[in-house]
Amino acid sequence: MTDLLLNEEERMLQATVRDFADRELAPRAQESDEREEFSWDAWKGMAALGLTGLGVDPGLGGSGGGYRQMAIAEEEVARGDAAASVSLVAHMSLSAQTIYQFGDEEQKLRYLPAMARGEAIGAWALTEPGGGSDAAALQTTAELRGDNYYLNGSKIFITNGDLARFLVVFATQDRSLRSRGISAFVVNEGADGFRANAQHGKMGMRASPTTELVFQGTPVPQSDRLGEEGRGFNYAMDILDSSRIVIAAQCVGIAQAAYEASVRYTQQREAFGQPIAQHQAIQFMLADMATEIYAARVASMHAATLKDHGLPYVNEASMAKLYASETAVRVTSNAVQIHGGYGYFKESPVERYFRDARVTTIYEGTSEVQRLVIARQILPEHALQSTSRN
Ligand SMILES: Cc1cc2nc3c(=O)[nH]c(=O)nc-3n(C[C@H](O)[C@H](O)[C@H](O)COP(=O)(O)OP(=O)(O)OC[C@H]3O[C@@H](n4cnc5c(N)ncnc54)[C@H](O)[C@@H]3O)c2cc1C
């Protein structure tokens, strides 16, 4: 990042996380990817640096900071190990923030200190087998009987689901009400009738666990409902709107790693008697990569700044996520191109960057959903049909 984009304290955070990522994350990322294995060392390292507590008040055991700090840390973690950065997002900007922003004081005290220290991992469960983009159509039910809600249904593609001690889960009390029937709950690991099944075989982000969650009459005490009944959908959309800023930063980190590998390679690899960096077509590819990464970084930091200042930011967050994710896909694809045949093999890190980047235009709202959100700001309400925003 350019110096003017960050203040002194933020530059220190960036340098600390970058150093950690270079030393601890990047050298092990390939092996974790091949084994499809969550790296506890990476997690513990992030926790020791306080990254798992970013965005949470120090009074609750957190590290403080806002979306700028989360974005700075996320970019650097993703540059070292994108899979570790997905697990961090699900914990930090999805689950912990839902409890932090919508939980009552008792719930915050019950959950956040252990989460902020990284001792308890969080997961955030909205998507269901029937669909993710149309989140208001979710089918998992929550029926109130006595002091408990009883959850029935299933979730899919849930990051950290089989590691999490605390899971924020969205369920409906009345499907016919669509978004207005949905509430948010905290389900504890080991709750009756709850199980998490690992989903194997992802293209990328392989060291970040992705899971199916099943609820069969799972009791959740009323005291574990977050906020008001029937407001869960609004909470989910608010959290997704802001977490997209952090995902945009993740995309910048992945693209940056692919760009740096490409710059190095173009000076080592020779073709037609000279380093390929001498060929103008290659220079143009590097120039486009650098330009797009720069634009994506500025867009994500601008959205983070708006959010931290309490200013309208939803449009900017969607634009940042849309642009940064498509940039990550383009840049990593061109990085493979620059590496030629070697880029197609696992011995080159760009093969992994390319696979890791691909999901970023899909989760936390597909590119199509981002365009819907942005179009909604452009066109008057009566010109648009209502659509959800996951
Ligand atoms: C690795 C990974 C991790 C994930 N982690 C989590 C997690 O922690 N928690 C969680 O809740 N979810 C998570 N997800 C789920 C993710 O958010 C969803 O996959 C995503 O929202 C898309 O939903 P879907 O897969 O059901 O696709 P669908 O909603 O079925 O969409 C299929 C296609 O149709 C398009 N489409 C849908 N509606 C429209 C429309 N109105 N206009 C135009 N095009 C449309 C979509 O853009 C997409 O191209 C994760 C997914 C992955 C792959």
Side-chain angles (χ1 to χ4, degrees):
M1 282 187 199
T2 55
D3 281 354
L4 285 179
L5 212 51
L6 305 184
N7 65 31
E8 188 56 36
E9 225 172 287
E10 291 169 336
R11 278 197 289 275
M12 276 172 58
L13 171 66
Q14 182 191 48
T16 305
V17 184
R18 184 173 293 177
D19 179 58
F20 161 72
D22 283 342
R23 277 186 301 107
E24 308 288 335
L25 299 181
R28 300 177 193 164
Q30 183 66 17
E31 192 182 335
S32 309
D33 174 82
E34 271 168 34
R35 291 187 178 180
E36 208 177 359
E37 202 171 85
F38 179 76
S39 167
W40 283 101
D41 286 343
W43 183 262
K44 286 177 190 159
M46 294 193 291
L49 286 179
L51 309 188
T52 49
L54 279 172
V56 173
D57 195 82
L60 289 162
S63 313
Y67 282 84
R68 283 180 64 91
Q69 284 70 24
M70 288 192 233
I72 291 164
E74 179 70 15
E75 178 185 332
E76 297 306 326
V77 170
R79 180 176 154 274
D81 182 348
S85 79
V86 185
S87 286
L88 183 62
V89 166
H91 172 89
M92 171 182 75
S93 58
L94 289 177
S95 50
Q97 280 303 308
T98 309
I99 298 170
Y100 186 60
Q101 294 182 30
F102 303 109
D104 62 28
E105 291 312 308
E106 274 183 23
Q107 290 167 334
K108 290 185 203 179
L109 282 170
R110 187 152 67 240
Y111 295 117
L112 290 176
M115 288 181 80
R117 287 193 299 270
E119 291 161 13
I121 297 183
W124 195 86
L126 181 65
T127 306
E128 299 195 348
S133 301
D134 186 7
L138 66 79
Q139 301 286 305
T140 298
T141 55
E143 190 190 340
L144 182 60
R145 275 184 275 130
D147 288 340
N148 290 328
Y149 293 90
Y150 291 86
L151 266 51
N152 281 288
S154 64
K155 300 283 177 183
I156 201 164
F157 306 143
I158 306 307
T159 301
N160 297 346
D162 53 355
L163 300 174
R165 196 185 307 167
F166 307 131
L167 301 97
V168 173
V169 177
F170 297 88
T172 180
Q173 284 179 271
D174 184 346
R175 288 175 191 157
S176 69
L177 292 176
R178 283 188 49 98
S179 61
R180 285 175 294 116
I182 297 171
S183 300
F185 305 91
V186 181
V187 173
N188 283 233
E189 174 189 41
D192 286 348
F194 164 61
R195 64 177 197 279
N197 303 318
Q199 294 181 263
H200 294 292
K202 288 202 299 292
M203 176 193 291
M205 305 294 199
R206 288 163 49 82
S208 169
T210 308
T211 53
E212 174 203 36
L213 308 181
V214 179
F215 304 96
Q216 287 173 313
T218 304
V220 179
Q222 284 209 50
S223 57
D224 277 334
R225 189 195 69 232
L226 295 169
E228 293 172 38
E229 259 189 359
R231 297 276 301 156
F233 182 80
N234 300 66
Y235 304 154
M237 294 303 117
D238 278 1
I239 290 296
L240 282 172
D241 285 339
S242 46
S243 185
R244 277 170 194 154
I245 298 168
V246 186
I247 291 289
Q250 173 188 62
C251 298
V252 174
I254 300 169
Q256 178 72 28
Y259 163 74
E260 288 174 18
S262 300
V263 172
R264 281 193 299 273
Y265 190 76
T266 57
Q267 292 164 76
Q268 294 156 6
R269 179 72 175 170
E270 295 200 354
F272 297 93
Q274 55 185 354
I276 58 171
Q278 296 298 324
H279 299 294
Q280 200 176 47
I282 298 287
Q283 294 169 10
F284 282 12
M285 263 199 264
L286 293 178
D288 285 346
M289 285 176 169
T291 306
E292 292 185 25
I293 291 169
Y294 166 74
R297 181 177 291 128
V298 171
S300 61
M301 287 307 284
H302 182 235
T305 308
L306 292 172
K307 169 72 182 160
D308 286 344
H309 280 74
L311 295 166
Y313 72 94
V314 171
N315 202 28
E316 287 77 3
S318 267
M319 289 197 276
K321 197 273 181 180
L322 171 64
Y323 185 73
S325 59
E326 300 203 339
T327 292
V329 171
R330 256 190 317 272
V331 166
T332 54
S333 174
N334 280 337
V336 172
Q337 190 68 21
I338 283 173
H339 282 70
Y342 291 107
Y344 199 67
F345 279 82
K346 289 193 188 300
E347 70 192 59
S348 166
V350 297
E351 183 268 349
R352 173 166 45 88
Y353 302 148
F354 178 60
R355 288 187 287 104
D356 286 346
R358 191 61 193 84
V359 75
T360 62
T361 64
I362 295 171
Y363 60 25
E364 296 217 16
T366 63
S367 285
E368 292 71 34
V369 167
Q370 303 312 327
R371 289 187 170 94
L372 287 174
V373 174
I374 297 161
R376 211 178 273 137
Q377 311 293 319
I378 300 170
L379 293 164
E381 195 60 38
H382 65 261
L384 299 161
Q385 280 186 321
S386 159
T387 35
S388 71
R389 289 185 280 149
N390 185 20

